[in-house]
C-alpha cells in the first residue's frame, strides 16, 4: 500500500495518492479580491490542474466538499459549479457555510478523485 505525497510541506501535501484514490488539499482562488463567481472559477481551475498532475480529471471526482463563507453566495457558486461539472459525472457533494482562513476568501473546496486507469 504505497502512499505517494506530492508537493509536501511542513503542514500538508497538495496531493496524496493511495490505492488509486487521489486526495487534494483544500483549494481556494488565485485572487481573493474578486467576487464569488470569479473565486469559484479560479478555485476550480486549480482543481483541474492538480487532478491532471495527479493522473485524473473532473470526470473521475468521487466527492467534493465545498466550504462557502456565506450561503448568500450559494446560488452564484452553483452556477459556476454546474457549468464546470461534466454532465452525467456529478460527484457526491456537500456544501457547508464555514468561517474561512482569511476574511477575503468566499469559497474553498476539498476533492477526492479516482486515478485514471490505463486502458
Amino acid at each position: 500500500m504505497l502512499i505517494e505525497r506530492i508537493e509536501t510541506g511542513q503542514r500538508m501535501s497538495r496531493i496524496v495518492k493511495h490505492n488509486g484514490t487521489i486526495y487534494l488539499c483544500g483549494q481556494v482562488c488565485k485572487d481573493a479580491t474578486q467576487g464569488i463567481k470569479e473565486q469559484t472559477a479560479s478555485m476550480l481551475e486549480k482543481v483541474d490542474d492538480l487532478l491532471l498532475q495527479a493522473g485524473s480529471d473532473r470526470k473521475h471526482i468521487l466527492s467534493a466538499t465545498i466550504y462557502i463563507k456565506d450561503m448568500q453566495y450559494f446560488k452564484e457558486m452553483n452556477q459556476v459549479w454546474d457549468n464546470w461539472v461534466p454532465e452525467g459525472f456529478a460527484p457526491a457533494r456537500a456544501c457547508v457555510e464555514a468561517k474561512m482562513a482569511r476574511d477575503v476568501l468566499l469559497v474553498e473546496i476539498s476533492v477526492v478523485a479516482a486515478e485514471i486507469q490505463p486502458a
Side-chain angles (χ1 to χ4, degrees), residues 41-75:
S42 173
M43 170 189 78
L44 294 174
E45 285 174 22
K46 289 171 70 176
V47 169
D48 276 333
D49 291 345
L50 288 172
L51 288 173
L52 180 64
Q53 182 181 349
S56 191
D57 61 26
R58 61 178 89 158
K59 287 184 177 180
H60 289 80
I61 295 174
L62 302 172
S63 70
T65 303
I66 299 171
Y67 306 91
I68 194 164
K69 182 177 181 174
D70 190 310
M71 280 299 174
Q72 72 174 337
Y73 302 121
F74 186 71
K75 183 178 177 182

Side-chain angles (χ1 to χ4, degrees), residues 92-109:
R93 190 187 100 163
C95 183
V96 296
E97 186 174 279
K99 184 164 178 66
M100 307 307 274
R102 292 181 296 160
D103 197 49
V104 291
L105 294 172
L106 303 177
V107 64
E108 181 172 348
I109 190 168

Side-chain angles (χ1 to χ4, degrees), residues 73-99:
Y73 302 121
F74 186 71
K75 183 178 177 182
E76 289 179 282
M77 180 276 298
N78 273 328
Q79 289 171 347
V80 177
W81 171 266
D82 291 344
N83 287 323
W84 181 78
V85 174
E87 188 173 341
F89 293 92
R93 190 187 100 163
C95 183
V96 296
E97 186 174 279
K99 184 164 178 66

Side-chain angles (χ1 to χ4, degrees), residues 2 5 12 14 18 25 32 39-41 75 78 87 99-100 102 109 117:
L2 175 68
R5 300 174 197 281
M12 67 185 159
R14 291 194 72 201
H18 179 256
C25 69
Q39 284 196 28
T40 302
K75 183 178 177 182
N78 273 328
E87 188 173 341
K99 184 164 178 66
M100 307 307 274
R102 292 181 296 160
I109 190 168
Q117 299 300 316

